[in-house]
């Protein structure tokens, strides 16, 4: 069996960072991903996909990502259930990320490249950063 998801998209808002009762960092953000569709040729639709990151990866994403940044997310799909405020049972789909790659530079960093968030900050390989211009992105 295989449960693997790879997404490339832009962050809808800045990542949130929380901590479990035992102190483990957990972060979350939403990625906007275009997909083909619609009534006219070339028309696209956008999916907004929730992403969860844990431990050191959550802290790195929280420190380095902001709304509008282009990322590649690799992980697994998770479906969870919860009761809403009216007691109605709801389901939520989210991607639990194992790797997050920063595919662009922050607007205020000039020509500085961002690291691969899946690695420890002491062991960064800057050659793995992919450089996309805004012209290459469909949204």
């Amino acid at each position: 069996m295989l449960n693997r998801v790879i997404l490339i998209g832009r962050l809808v808002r800045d990542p949130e960072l929380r901590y479990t009762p035992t102190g483990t960092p957990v972060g979350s953000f939403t990625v906007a991903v275009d997909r083909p569709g619609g009534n006219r040729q070339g028309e696209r639709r956008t999916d907004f996909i929730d992403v969860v990151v844990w431990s050191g990866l959550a802290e790195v994403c929280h420190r380095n990502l902001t709304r509008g940044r282009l990322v590649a997310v690799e992980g697994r799909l998770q479906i969870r259930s919860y009761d809403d405020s009216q007691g109605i049972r709801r389901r939520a789909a989210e991607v639990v990320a194992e790797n997050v790659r920063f595919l662009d530079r922050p607007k205020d960093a000039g020509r500085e490249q961002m690291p691969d968030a899946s690695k420890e900050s002491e062991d960064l390989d800057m050659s793995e950063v992919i450089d996309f211009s805004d012209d290459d992105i469909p949204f």
Side-chain angles (χ1 to χ4, degrees), residues 5-25:
V5 175
I6 299 173
L7 305 169
I8 295 179
R10 292 196 181 274
L11 268 68
V12 173
R13 63 184 150 279
D14 292 351
E16 295 179 17
L17 181 64
R18 298 175 309 280
Y19 293 88
T20 65
T22 60
T24 303

Side-chain angles (χ1 to χ4, degrees), residues 7-8 18 29 36 39 57 68 70 75 79 87 89 93 121 126 132:
L7 305 169
I8 295 179
R18 298 175 309 280
F29 54 89
N39 299 330
L57 182 57
L70 183 66
I79 310 294
R89 192 72 161 164
S121 57
M126 299 305 278
F132 286 96

